[in-house]
Amino acid sequence: MHVKKGDKVVVISGSDKGKIGKVLTGIPKQDKVIVENVNMVTKHQKATNDVQQAGILHQEAAINASNVMLYCDKCKSGVRTGIKIENGKKIRECKKCGSAL
């Protein structure tokens, strides 16, 4: 996958198009990601014991990884990335401005 946990991404398609958020979880086997405050769903939950309370929860649902692009703070937009090797380490860089992501 081209994104990983902690990356800042922008949604490029769907009902949440244009929203910017941080990747909370990546699910590589399904090629999906969970992004902060994107694709919010309502979940009705029963109380399972005395500690956990019943109610309506609002939480993020997974979206396809192809619907997000890495966000470059310098370019202020979603960008494609390239790989640059420095001192034997792979570093992702913005293809527009060349800054490390």
Side-chain angles (χ1 to χ4, degrees), residues 49-88:
N49 53 27
D50 295 336
V51 179
Q52 188 176 5
Q53 192 174 5
I56 298 172
L57 302 175
H58 299 285
Q59 63 186 26
E60 296 94 354
I63 61 172
N64 200 298
S66 66
N67 292 338
V68 297
M69 286 182 91
L70 275 168
Y71 183 79
C72 179
D73 290 321
K74 202 171 181 183
C75 299
K76 304 284 187 228
S77 65
V79 294
R80 293 170 60 192
T81 58
I83 302 291
K84 180 170 63 173
I85 298 175
E86 283 185 5
N87 301 329

Side-chain angles (χ1 to χ4, degrees), residues 11-19 38-39 63 66-68:
V11 180
I12 58 171
S13 68
S15 60
D16 293 317
K17 182 177 180 177
K19 285 189 180 179
V38 172
N39 197 21
I63 61 172
S66 66
N67 292 338
V68 297

Side-chain angles (χ1 to χ4, degrees), residues 29-67:
K29 286 188 178 181
Q30 298 175 3
D31 198 31
K32 292 183 181 245
V33 291
I34 297 175
V35 182
E36 184 177 50
N37 295 323
V38 172
N39 197 21
M40 298 297 285
V41 294
T42 304
K43 183 177 181 185
H44 301 270
Q45 182 152 359
K46 274 188 185 177
T48 55
N49 53 27
D50 295 336
V51 179
Q52 188 176 5
Q53 192 174 5
I56 298 172
L57 302 175
H58 299 285
Q59 63 186 26
E60 296 94 354
I63 61 172
N64 200 298
S66 66
N67 292 338

